[in-house]
Amino acid sequence: RAHSRRAHTRVWAARLAPHSRTRAHNNANMLALGARVVGQGLALAIVDAFLTTDFEAGRHSPRVEMIKALEG
């Protein structure tokens, strides 16, 4: 996965219903959609969820900080 090798990138590889926990919990800043797996209607719903969800911080911040530390 090339996206996981890029510094400062936290990717949400969305394949299912548009839940936004990855954005809210991991502060994802990139969205990946599989064209063969996700139809147009679902893709639009996922993008909407991604763009309208904020990072919750709080108890999730230490995990994001650990990810940042691994980036060097």
Side-chain angles (χ1 to χ4, degrees):
R1 295 182 175 190
H3 60 73
S4 61
R5 295 186 186 136
R6 299 281 184 202
H8 313 293
T9 304
R10 293 172 304 282
V11 179
W12 176 14
R15 294 179 296 274
L16 303 172
H19 64 82
S20 54
R21 283 181 289 184
T22 301
R23 175 91 162 161
H25 293 183
N26 295 333
N27 199 19
N29 57 9
M30 187 173 178
L31 177 63
L33 298 170
R36 295 182 187 166
V37 182
V38 179
Q40 182 179 1
L42 180 57
L44 291 172
I46 290 171
V47 169
D48 183 58
F50 183 80
L51 293 175
T52 59
T53 302
D54 293 323
F55 178 48
E56 292 178 356
R59 67 184 180 95
H60 306 295
S61 292
R63 178 177 43 252
V64 174
E65 292 304 317
M66 286 190 305
I67 293 168
K68 287 180 183 179
L70 291 172
E71 294 172 348

Short mmCIF file of all heavy atoms in Angstrom, two decimals:
data_model
loop_
_atom_site.label_atom_id
_atom_site.label_comp_id
_atom_site.label_asym_id
_atom_site.label_seq_id
_atom_site.Cartn_x
_atom_site.Cartn_y
_atom_site.Cartn_z
N ARG A 1 0.83 -1.19 0.00
CA ARG A 1 0.00 0.00 0.00
C ARG A 1 0.88 1.25 0.00
O ARG A 1 1.48 1.59 1.00
CB ARG A 1 -0.89 0.01 1.23
CG ARG A 1 -1.89 -1.09 1.24
CD ARG A 1 -2.74 -0.97 2.45
NE ARG A 1 -3.77 -1.95 2.40
CZ ARG A 1 -4.78 -1.98 3.21
NH1 ARG A 1 -4.89 -1.09 4.16
NH2 ARG A 1 -5.70 -2.89 3.11
N ALA A 2 0.88 1.91 -1.08
CA ALA A 2 1.71 3.11 -1.21
C ALA A 2 1.27 4.22 -0.26
O ALA A 2 2.09 4.95 0.26
CB ALA A 2 1.69 3.61 -2.65
N HIS A 3 -0.02 4.32 0.00
CA HIS A 3 -0.51 5.40 0.85
C HIS A 3 0.03 5.29 2.27
O HIS A 3 0.24 6.29 2.93
CB HIS A 3 -2.03 5.45 0.87
CG HIS A 3 -2.68 4.19 1.36
ND1 HIS A 3 -2.68 3.82 2.68
CD2 HIS A 3 -3.32 3.22 0.70
CE1 HIS A 3 -3.30 2.67 2.82
NE2 HIS A 3 -3.70 2.29 1.62
N SER A 4 0.29 4.08 2.74
CA SER A 4 0.77 3.92 4.11
C SER A 4 2.28 4.20 4.21
O SER A 4 2.82 4.22 5.29
CB SER A 4 0.46 2.53 4.63
OG SER A 4 1.11 1.56 3.82
N ARG A 5 2.92 4.44 3.09
CA ARG A 5 4.35 4.73 3.10
C ARG A 5 4.63 6.22 3.01
O ARG A 5 5.77 6.64 3.00
CB ARG A 5 5.02 4.02 1.93
CG ARG A 5 4.94 2.52 2.07
CD ARG A 5 5.71 1.83 0.99
NE ARG A 5 5.48 0.40 1.10
CZ ARG A 5 5.23 -0.38 0.09
NH1 ARG A 5 5.19 0.11 -1.12
NH2 ARG A 5 5.03 -1.66 0.26
N ARG A 6 3.61 7.02 2.91
CA ARG A 6 3.77 8.46 2.81
C ARG A 6 3.70 9.09 4.19
O ARG A 6 2.79 8.79 4.97
CB ARG A 6 2.67 9.08 1.94
CG ARG A 6 2.66 8.58 0.54
CD ARG A 6 3.72 9.28 -0.24
NE ARG A 6 3.66 8.86 -1.63
CZ ARG A 6 4.66 8.96 -2.44
NH1 ARG A 6 5.80 9.45 -2.03
NH2 ARG A 6 4.54 8.58 -3.68
N ALA A 7 4.63 9.96 4.50
CA ALA A 7 4.64 10.64 5.79
C ALA A 7 3.41 11.54 5.90
O ALA A 7 2.94 12.09 4.91
CB ALA A 7 5.91 11.46 5.94
N HIS A 8 2.91 11.65 7.11
CA HIS A 8 1.78 12.54 7.44
C HIS A 8 0.48 12.13 6.77
O HIS A 8 -0.39 12.96 6.55
CB HIS A 8 2.12 13.99 7.09
CG HIS A 8 3.47 14.41 7.56
ND1 HIS A 8 3.77 14.54 8.91
CD2 HIS A 8 4.61 14.69 6.89
CE1 HIS A 8 5.04 14.91 9.02
NE2 HIS A 8 5.56 14.99 7.83
N THR A 9 0.35 10.86 6.41
CA THR A 9 -0.86 10.38 5.74
C THR A 9 -1.56 9.34 6.60
O THR A 9 -0.97 8.34 6.98
CB THR A 9 -0.51 9.75 4.37
OG1 THR A 9 0.18 10.71 3.59
CG2 THR A 9 -1.76 9.33 3.64
N ARG A 10 -2.80 9.60 6.93
CA ARG A 10 -3.65 8.65 7.64
C ARG A 10 -4.86 8.40 6.74
O ARG A 10 -5.70 9.27 6.56
CB ARG A 10 -4.05 9.22 9.00
CG ARG A 10 -2.88 9.36 9.94
CD ARG A 10 -3.24 10.10 11.21
NE ARG A 10 -3.81 11.43 10.97
CZ ARG A 10 -3.09 12.52 10.65
NH1 ARG A 10 -1.78 12.44 10.53
NH2 ARG A 10 -3.69 13.68 10.47
N VAL A 11 -4.93 7.21 6.17
CA VAL A 11 -5.90 6.92 5.12
C VAL A 11 -7.10 6.15 5.64
O VAL A 11 -6.95 5.21 6.43
CB VAL A 11 -5.24 6.11 3.98
CG1 VAL A 11 -6.24 5.78 2.89
CG2 VAL A 11 -4.07 6.88 3.41
N TRP A 12 -8.26 6.52 5.19
CA TRP A 12 -9.48 5.77 5.42
C TRP A 12 -9.77 5.01 4.13
O TRP A 12 -10.14 5.59 3.13
CB TRP A 12 -10.63 6.70 5.75
CG TRP A 12 -11.96 6.03 5.92
CD1 TRP A 12 -12.21 4.70 6.06
CD2 TRP A 12 -13.23 6.65 5.95
NE1 TRP A 12 -13.55 4.45 6.20
CE2 TRP A 12 -14.20 5.66 6.13
CE3 TRP A 12 -13.66 7.97 5.85
CZ2 TRP A 12 -15.56 5.93 6.19
CZ3 TRP A 12 -15.01 8.23 5.93
CH2 TRP A 12 -15.94 7.22 6.11
N ALA A 13 -9.54 3.70 4.11
CA ALA A 13 -9.83 2.86 2.95
C ALA A 13 -11.28 2.40 3.08
O ALA A 13 -11.57 1.37 3.68
CB ALA A 13 -8.88 1.68 2.90
N ALA A 14 -12.18 3.18 2.53
CA ALA A 14 -13.62 2.96 2.71
C ALA A 14 -14.16 1.96 1.70
O ALA A 14 -13.95 2.09 0.50
CB ALA A 14 -14.34 4.29 2.57
N ARG A 15 -14.84 0.95 2.21
CA ARG A 15 -15.45 -0.06 1.36
C ARG A 15 -16.90 -0.33 1.72
O ARG A 15 -17.63 -0.91 0.96
CB ARG A 15 -14.67 -1.37 1.45
CG ARG A 15 -13.28 -1.30 0.90
CD ARG A 15 -12.57 -2.62 1.05
NE ARG A 15 -12.36 -3.00 2.44
CZ ARG A 15 -11.33 -2.62 3.19
NH1 ARG A 15 -10.42 -1.85 2.67
NH2 ARG A 15 -11.20 -3.02 4.42
N LEU A 16 -17.28 0.06 2.91
CA LEU A 16 -18.61 -0.27 3.42
C LEU A 16 -19.45 0.98 3.62
O LEU A 16 -19.10 2.05 3.16
CB LEU A 16 -18.47 -1.05 4.73
CG LEU A 16 -17.63 -2.32 4.64
CD1 LEU A 16 -17.41 -2.90 6.02
CD2 LEU A 16 -18.29 -3.34 3.74
N ALA A 17 -20.53 0.83 4.35
CA ALA A 17 -21.43 1.95 4.62
C ALA A 17 -20.67 3.15 5.15
O ALA A 17 -19.64 3.01 5.80
CB ALA A 17 -22.50 1.51 5.61
N PRO A 18 -21.18 4.34 4.89
CA PRO A 18 -20.46 5.57 5.24
C PRO A 18 -20.45 5.89 6.73
O PRO A 18 -21.12 6.80 7.19
CB PRO A 18 -21.20 6.64 4.45
CG PRO A 18 -22.58 6.10 4.31
CD PRO A 18 -22.42 4.61 4.19
N HIS A 19 -19.73 5.10 7.50
CA HIS A 19 -19.54 5.47 8.90
C HIS A 19 -18.26 6.28 8.97
O HIS A 19 -17.35 6.10 8.16
CB HIS A 19 -19.45 4.24 9.81
CG HIS A 19 -18.28 3.37 9.53
ND1 HIS A 19 -17.04 3.63 10.04
CD2 HIS A 19 -18.15 2.26 8.79
CE1 HIS A 19 -16.19 2.71 9.63
NE2 HIS A 19 -16.84 1.87 8.87
N SER A 20 -18.18 7.18 9.88
CA SER A 20 -17.06 8.13 9.88
C SER A 20 -16.15 7.94 11.08
O SER A 20 -15.43 8.85 11.45
CB SER A 20 -17.61 9.55 9.86
OG SER A 20 -18.52 9.72 10.91
N ARG A 21 -16.17 6.75 11.69
CA ARG A 21 -15.34 6.54 12.87
C ARG A 21 -13.85 6.71 12.58
O ARG A 21 -13.11 7.21 13.41
CB ARG A 21 -15.60 5.18 13.48
CG ARG A 21 -16.89 5.14 14.28
CD ARG A 21 -17.09 3.80 14.86
NE ARG A 21 -17.42 2.92 13.73
CZ ARG A 21 -17.75 1.67 13.85
NH1 ARG A 21 -17.78 1.09 15.01
NH2 ARG A 21 -18.05 0.94 12.80
N THR A 22 -13.40 6.28 11.41
CA THR A 22 -11.97 6.39 11.11
C THR A 22 -11.56 7.85 11.05
O THR A 22 -10.50 8.22 11.53
CB THR A 22 -11.63 5.69 9.79
OG1 THR A 22 -11.99 4.32 9.91
CG2 THR A 22 -10.16 5.78 9.48
N ARG A 23 -12.37 8.68 10.48
CA ARG A 23 -12.07 10.12 10.43
C ARG A 23 -12.13 10.71 11.85
O ARG A 23 -11.25 11.46 12.25
CB ARG A 23 -13.09 10.81 9.54
CG ARG A 23 -12.98 12.29 9.50
CD ARG A 23 -12.08 12.74 8.40
NE ARG A 23 -12.33 14.14 8.14
CZ ARG A 23 -11.50 14.91 7.51
NH1 ARG A 23 -10.37 14.42 7.06
NH2 ARG A 23 -11.77 16.16 7.30
N ALA A 24 -13.14 10.34 12.61
CA ALA A 24 -13.32 10.89 13.95
C ALA A 24 -12.29 10.37 14.94
O ALA A 24 -11.85 11.09 15.82
CB ALA A 24 -14.73 10.57 14.46
N HIS A 25 -11.88 9.12 14.80
CA HIS A 25 -10.98 8.50 15.78
C HIS A 25 -9.51 8.57 15.39
O HIS A 25 -8.65 8.66 16.27
CB HIS A 25 -11.35 7.03 15.99
CG HIS A 25 -12.68 6.86 16.65
ND1 HIS A 25 -13.16 5.62 16.99
CD2 HIS A 25 -13.64 7.75 17.01
CE1 HIS A 25 -14.36 5.75 17.55
NE2 HIS A 25 -14.66 7.04 17.56
N ASN A 26 -9.19 8.50 14.10
CA ASN A 26 -7.79 8.46 13.67
C ASN A 26 -7.36 9.73 12.94
O ASN A 26 -6.25 9.80 12.44
CB ASN A 26 -7.53 7.25 12.77
CG ASN A 26 -7.69 5.96 13.51
OD1 ASN A 26 -7.51 5.91 14.72
ND2 ASN A 26 -8.06 4.91 12.81
N ASN A 27 -8.26 10.69 12.84
CA ASN A 27 -7.97 11.95 12.16
C ASN A 27 -7.47 11.69 10.74
O ASN A 27 -6.49 12.29 10.29
CB ASN A 27 -6.97 12.79 12.95
CG ASN A 27 -7.00 14.24 12.56
OD1 ASN A 27 -7.97 14.72 11.97
ND2 ASN A 27 -5.95 14.97 12.87
N ALA A 28 -8.13 10.77 10.03
CA ALA A 28 -7.74 10.45 8.66
C ALA A 28 -7.75 11.71 7.81
O ALA A 28 -8.65 12.53 7.91
CB ALA A 28 -8.69 9.41 8.07
N ASN A 29 -6.73 11.86 6.98
CA ASN A 29 -6.65 13.04 6.13
C ASN A 29 -6.61 12.68 4.65
O ASN A 29 -6.34 13.52 3.80
CB ASN A 29 -5.43 13.90 6.51
CG ASN A 29 -4.13 13.14 6.43
OD1 ASN A 29 -4.07 12.02 5.95
ND2 ASN A 29 -3.07 13.76 6.91
N MET A 30 -6.89 11.42 4.35
CA MET A 30 -6.93 10.95 2.98
C MET A 30 -7.98 9.85 2.88
O MET A 30 -8.14 9.06 3.80
CB MET A 30 -5.55 10.41 2.58
CG MET A 30 -5.40 10.05 1.17
SD MET A 30 -3.66 9.62 0.88
CE MET A 30 -3.74 9.18 -0.83
N LEU A 31 -8.69 9.82 1.77
CA LEU A 31 -9.76 8.84 1.58
C LEU A 31 -9.44 8.01 0.35
O LEU A 31 -9.06 8.54 -0.69
CB LEU A 31 -11.09 9.59 1.37
CG LEU A 31 -12.33 8.78 1.07
CD1 LEU A 31 -12.67 7.87 2.24
CD2 LEU A 31 -13.49 9.71 0.77
N ALA A 32 -9.57 6.69 0.46
CA ALA A 32 -9.34 5.79 -0.66
C ALA A 32 -10.63 5.01 -0.94
O ALA A 32 -11.20 4.42 -0.03
CB ALA A 32 -8.21 4.82 -0.35
N LEU A 33 -11.07 5.04 -2.19
CA LEU A 33 -12.28 4.33 -2.60
C LEU A 33 -11.94 3.40 -3.75
O LEU A 33 -11.33 3.82 -4.73
CB LEU A 33 -13.36 5.32 -3.07
CG LEU A 33 -13.87 6.32 -2.05
CD1 LEU A 33 -14.73 7.37 -2.72
CD2 LEU A 33 -14.66 5.61 -0.98
N GLY A 34 -12.36 2.15 -3.64
CA GLY A 34 -12.14 1.19 -4.71
C GLY A 34 -13.25 1.26 -5.75
O GLY A 34 -14.41 1.01 -5.43
N ALA A 35 -12.92 1.62 -6.98
CA ALA A 35 -13.92 1.81 -8.03
C ALA A 35 -14.70 0.53 -8.35
O ALA A 35 -15.86 0.58 -8.70
CB ALA A 35 -13.25 2.33 -9.30
N ARG A 36 -14.06 -0.61 -8.18
CA ARG A 36 -14.73 -1.88 -8.48
C ARG A 36 -15.56 -2.38 -7.30
O ARG A 36 -16.32 -3.32 -7.44
CB ARG A 36 -13.70 -2.93 -8.85
CG ARG A 36 -12.97 -2.62 -10.12
CD ARG A 36 -12.00 -3.72 -10.45
NE ARG A 36 -11.20 -3.33 -11.60
CZ ARG A 36 -10.11 -3.94 -11.97
NH1 ARG A 36 -9.66 -4.97 -11.27
NH2 ARG A 36 -9.44 -3.52 -13.01
N VAL A 37 -15.39 -1.75 -6.14
CA VAL A 37 -16.05 -2.23 -4.93
C VAL A 37 -17.16 -1.29 -4.48
O VAL A 37 -18.17 -1.73 -3.93
CB VAL A 37 -15.00 -2.37 -3.79
CG1 VAL A 37 -15.64 -2.90 -2.52
CG2 VAL A 37 -13.86 -3.26 -4.22
N VAL A 38 -17.01 -0.01 -4.72
CA VAL A 38 -17.94 1.00 -4.22
C VAL A 38 -18.68 1.64 -5.39
O VAL A 38 -18.07 2.19 -6.30
CB VAL A 38 -17.17 2.09 -3.43
CG1 VAL A 38 -18.13 3.15 -2.93
CG2 VAL A 38 -16.40 1.48 -2.29
N GLY A 39 -20.00 1.56 -5.36
CA GLY A 39 -20.82 2.18 -6.38
C GLY A 39 -20.88 3.69 -6.20
O GLY A 39 -20.48 4.24 -5.17
N GLN A 40 -21.43 4.39 -7.20
CA GLN A 40 -21.45 5.84 -7.19
C GLN A 40 -22.23 6.41 -6.01
O GLN A 40 -21.76 7.33 -5.33
CB GLN A 40 -22.04 6.38 -8.49
CG GLN A 40 -22.04 7.89 -8.55
CD GLN A 40 -22.60 8.42 -9.86
OE1 GLN A 40 -23.01 7.67 -10.73
NE2 GLN A 40 -22.61 9.73 -10.00
N GLY A 41 -23.41 5.89 -5.73
CA GLY A 41 -24.21 6.40 -4.62
C GLY A 41 -23.53 6.23 -3.27
O GLY A 41 -23.50 7.15 -2.46
N LEU A 42 -22.96 5.05 -3.04
CA LEU A 42 -22.25 4.79 -1.80
C LEU A 42 -21.00 5.66 -1.72
O LEU A 42 -20.69 6.21 -0.66
CB LEU A 42 -21.87 3.32 -1.68
CG LEU A 42 -21.11 2.90 -0.43
CD1 LEU A 42 -21.87 3.27 0.83
CD2 LEU A 42 -20.81 1.41 -0.48
N ALA A 43 -20.30 5.84 -2.83
CA ALA A 43 -19.10 6.68 -2.84
C ALA A 43 -19.44 8.11 -2.44
O ALA A 43 -18.73 8.72 -1.64
CB ALA A 43 -18.45 6.66 -4.23
N LEU A 44 -20.53 8.64 -2.95
CA LEU A 44 -20.93 10.01 -2.60
C LEU A 44 -21.27 10.11 -1.11
O LEU A 44 -20.92 11.09 -0.46
CB LEU A 44 -22.11 10.45 -3.46
CG LEU A 44 -21.79 10.66 -4.93
CD1 LEU A 44 -23.07 10.90 -5.73
CD2 LEU A 44 -20.81 11.80 -5.13
N ALA A 45 -21.94 9.09 -0.58
CA ALA A 45 -22.27 9.10 0.85
C ALA A 45 -21.02 9.01 1.71
O ALA A 45 -20.91 9.68 2.74
CB ALA A 45 -23.22 7.94 1.17
N ILE A 46 -20.05 8.21 1.29
CA ILE A 46 -18.80 8.07 2.04
C ILE A 46 -18.02 9.38 2.01
O ILE A 46 -17.50 9.83 3.03
CB ILE A 46 -17.95 6.91 1.47
CG1 ILE A 46 -18.61 5.56 1.79
CG2 ILE A 46 -16.52 6.95 2.01
CD1 ILE A 46 -17.98 4.37 1.10
N VAL A 47 -17.94 10.01 0.84
CA VAL A 47 -17.23 11.29 0.73
C VAL A 47 -17.90 12.34 1.59
O VAL A 47 -17.23 13.11 2.28
CB VAL A 47 -17.14 11.75 -0.75
CG1 VAL A 47 -16.66 13.18 -0.85
CG2 VAL A 47 -16.22 10.82 -1.53
N ASP A 48 -19.23 12.36 1.59
CA ASP A 48 -19.95 13.32 2.42
C ASP A 48 -19.63 13.10 3.91
O ASP A 48 -19.37 14.05 4.64
CB ASP A 48 -21.45 13.22 2.18
CG ASP A 48 -22.23 14.25 2.96
OD1 ASP A 48 -21.96 15.45 2.79
OD2 ASP A 48 -23.10 13.84 3.76
N ALA A 49 -19.65 11.84 4.33
CA ALA A 49 -19.33 11.53 5.74
C ALA A 49 -17.89 11.94 6.06
O ALA A 49 -17.62 12.49 7.12
CB ALA A 49 -19.53 10.04 6.01
N PHE A 50 -16.98 11.69 5.14
CA PHE A 50 -15.57 12.03 5.36
C PHE A 50 -15.39 13.54 5.51
O PHE A 50 -14.68 14.01 6.40
CB PHE A 50 -14.74 11.51 4.19
CG PHE A 50 -13.26 11.75 4.34
CD1 PHE A 50 -12.49 10.91 5.14
CD2 PHE A 50 -12.63 12.78 3.67
CE1 PHE A 50 -11.13 11.12 5.27
CE2 PHE A 50 -11.28 12.99 3.80
CZ PHE A 50 -10.52 12.16 4.60
N LEU A 51 -16.03 14.30 4.65
CA LEU A 51 -15.84 15.75 4.64
C LEU A 51 -16.56 16.47 5.78
O LEU A 51 -16.17 17.57 6.16
CB LEU A 51 -16.29 16.33 3.30
CG LEU A 51 -15.44 15.93 2.10
CD1 LEU A 51 -16.05 16.48 0.81
CD2 LEU A 51 -14.00 16.39 2.26
N THR A 52 -17.60 15.86 6.32
CA THR A 52 -18.39 16.54 7.35
C THR A 52 -18.08 16.05 8.76
O THR A 52 -18.70 16.53 9.71
CB THR A 52 -19.89 16.39 7.08
OG1 THR A 52 -20.23 15.01 7.05
CG2 THR A 52 -20.28 17.05 5.76
N THR A 53 -17.15 15.13 8.91
CA THR A 53 -16.81 14.60 10.22
C THR A 53 -15.53 15.24 10.74
O THR A 53 -14.53 15.32 10.02
CB THR A 53 -16.63 13.07 10.16
OG1 THR A 53 -17.84 12.51 9.68
CG2 THR A 53 -16.30 12.50 11.52
N ASP A 54 -15.54 15.68 11.97
CA ASP A 54 -14.37 16.26 12.60
C ASP A 54 -13.67 15.24 13.49
O ASP A 54 -14.29 14.29 13.96
CB ASP A 54 -14.76 17.47 13.47
CG ASP A 54 -15.28 18.62 12.64
OD1 ASP A 54 -14.76 18.84 11.53
OD2 ASP A 54 -16.21 19.30 13.10
N PHE A 55 -12.40 15.45 13.72
CA PHE A 55 -11.62 14.61 14.64
C PHE A 55 -12.13 14.86 16.05
O PHE A 55 -12.25 16.00 16.48
CB PHE A 55 -10.15 14.96 14.51
CG PHE A 55 -9.25 14.20 15.44
CD1 PHE A 55 -9.34 12.82 15.58
CD2 PHE A 55 -8.28 14.86 16.17
CE1 PHE A 55 -8.50 12.12 16.43
CE2 PHE A 55 -7.43 14.18 17.01
CZ PHE A 55 -7.54 12.82 17.14
N GLU A 56 -12.42 13.79 16.79
CA GLU A 56 -12.96 13.92 18.14
C GLU A 56 -11.88 14.24 19.18
O GLU A 56 -12.20 14.70 20.27
CB GLU A 56 -13.68 12.64 18.54
CG GLU A 56 -14.95 12.41 17.76
CD GLU A 56 -15.63 11.11 18.14
OE1 GLU A 56 -15.08 10.33 18.96
OE2 GLU A 56 -16.71 10.85 17.60
N ALA A 57 -10.62 13.99 18.85
CA ALA A 57 -9.50 14.22 19.77
C ALA A 57 -9.73 13.45 21.07
O ALA A 57 -10.07 12.28 21.03
CB ALA A 57 -9.27 15.70 20.01
N GLY A 58 -9.54 14.09 22.22
CA GLY A 58 -9.77 13.42 23.51
C GLY A 58 -8.99 12.14 23.63
O GLY A 58 -7.78 12.10 23.43
N ARG A 59 -9.69 11.04 23.91
CA ARG A 59 -9.03 9.75 24.14
C ARG A 59 -8.37 9.19 22.88
O ARG A 59 -7.57 8.27 22.95
CB ARG A 59 -10.02 8.73 24.70
CG ARG A 59 -11.12 8.32 23.73
CD ARG A 59 -12.12 7.38 24.42
NE ARG A 59 -13.17 6.96 23.52
CZ ARG A 59 -13.15 5.83 22.82
NH1 ARG A 59 -12.13 5.00 22.94
NH2 ARG A 59 -14.15 5.52 22.01
N HIS A 60 -8.68 9.76 21.71
CA HIS A 60 -8.10 9.27 20.46
C HIS A 60 -6.77 9.97 20.13
O HIS A 60 -6.01 9.49 19.31
CB HIS A 60 -9.09 9.49 19.31
CG HIS A 60 -10.43 8.88 19.58
ND1 HIS A 60 -10.62 7.53 19.70
CD2 HIS A 60 -11.63 9.45 19.80
CE1 HIS A 60 -11.89 7.28 19.97
NE2 HIS A 60 -12.53 8.45 20.04
N SER A 61 -6.50 11.09 20.76
CA SER A 61 -5.27 11.85 20.47
C SER A 61 -3.99 11.06 20.69
O SER A 61 -3.06 11.16 19.87
CB SER A 61 -5.25 13.13 21.29
OG SER A 61 -6.25 14.00 20.83
N PRO A 62 -3.86 10.27 21.77
CA PRO A 62 -2.61 9.51 21.94
C PRO A 62 -2.30 8.57 20.77
O PRO A 62 -1.15 8.43 20.37
CB PRO A 62 -2.84 8.72 23.23
CG PRO A 62 -3.82 9.55 23.99
CD PRO A 62 -4.73 10.12 22.94
N ARG A 63 -3.33 7.94 20.20
CA ARG A 63 -3.12 7.04 19.06
C ARG A 63 -2.59 7.83 17.86
O ARG A 63 -1.65 7.41 17.18
CB ARG A 63 -4.40 6.31 18.70
CG ARG A 63 -4.27 5.40 17.50
CD ARG A 63 -5.53 4.60 17.16
NE ARG A 63 -6.75 5.35 17.24
CZ ARG A 63 -7.67 5.20 18.19
NH1 ARG A 63 -7.48 4.35 19.17
NH2 ARG A 63 -8.79 5.91 18.17
N VAL A 64 -3.17 8.99 17.59
CA VAL A 64 -2.72 9.80 16.47
C VAL A 64 -1.29 10.29 16.71
O VAL A 64 -0.46 10.32 15.80
CB VAL A 64 -3.69 10.98 16.23
CG1 VAL A 64 -3.14 11.92 15.16
CG2 VAL A 64 -5.05 10.46 15.81
N GLU A 65 -0.97 10.63 17.94
CA GLU A 65 0.38 11.06 18.27
C GLU A 65 1.38 9.91 18.07
O GLU A 65 2.51 10.13 17.63
CB GLU A 65 0.46 11.61 19.69
CG GLU A 65 -0.30 12.91 19.87
CD GLU A 65 0.16 14.00 18.91
OE1 GLU A 65 1.39 14.16 18.71
OE2 GLU A 65 -0.72 14.69 18.35
N MET A 66 0.98 8.67 18.39
CA MET A 66 1.85 7.52 18.17
C MET A 66 2.10 7.32 16.67
O MET A 66 3.21 7.02 16.25
CB MET A 66 1.26 6.24 18.78
CG MET A 66 1.34 6.21 20.27
SD MET A 66 0.92 4.61 21.03
CE MET A 66 -0.71 4.29 20.39
N ILE A 67 1.06 7.50 15.86
CA ILE A 67 1.21 7.38 14.42
C ILE A 67 2.18 8.45 13.91
O ILE A 67 3.07 8.18 13.11
CB ILE A 67 -0.16 7.51 13.72
CG1 ILE A 67 -1.05 6.31 14.06
CG2 ILE A 67 0.01 7.62 12.20
CD1 ILE A 67 -2.50 6.47 13.66
N LYS A 68 2.02 9.68 14.39
CA LYS A 68 2.91 10.76 13.98
C LYS A 68 4.36 10.47 14.38
O LYS A 68 5.29 10.77 13.64
CB LYS A 68 2.45 12.08 14.60
CG LYS A 68 1.20 12.64 13.97
CD LYS A 68 0.82 13.95 14.64
CE LYS A 68 -0.47 14.51 14.08
NZ LYS A 68 -0.82 15.79 14.76
N ALA A 69 4.55 9.89 15.56
CA ALA A 69 5.90 9.57 16.03
C ALA A 69 6.56 8.52 15.12
O ALA A 69 7.77 8.57 14.88
CB ALA A 69 5.87 9.06 17.46
N LEU A 70 5.79 7.59 14.58
CA LEU A 70 6.32 6.58 13.68
C LEU A 70 6.74 7.18 12.34
O LEU A 70 7.58 6.63 11.64
CB LEU A 70 5.28 5.47 13.45
CG LEU A 70 4.98 4.59 14.64
CD1 LEU A 70 3.80 3.67 14.32
CD2 LEU A 70 6.20 3.79 15.03
N GLU A 71 6.14 8.31 12.00
CA GLU A 71 6.45 8.96 10.72
C GLU A 71 7.85 9.57 10.73
O GLU A 71 8.42 9.81 9.69
CB GLU A 71 5.43 10.06 10.42
CG GLU A 71 4.04 9.54 10.19
CD GLU A 71 3.00 10.63 10.09
OE1 GLU A 71 3.30 11.79 10.41
OE2 GLU A 71 1.89 10.30 9.69
N GLY A 72 8.37 9.80 11.92
CA GLY A 72 9.72 10.34 12.03
C GLY A 72 9.72 11.77 11.92
O GLY A 72 10.14 12.68 11.64
#
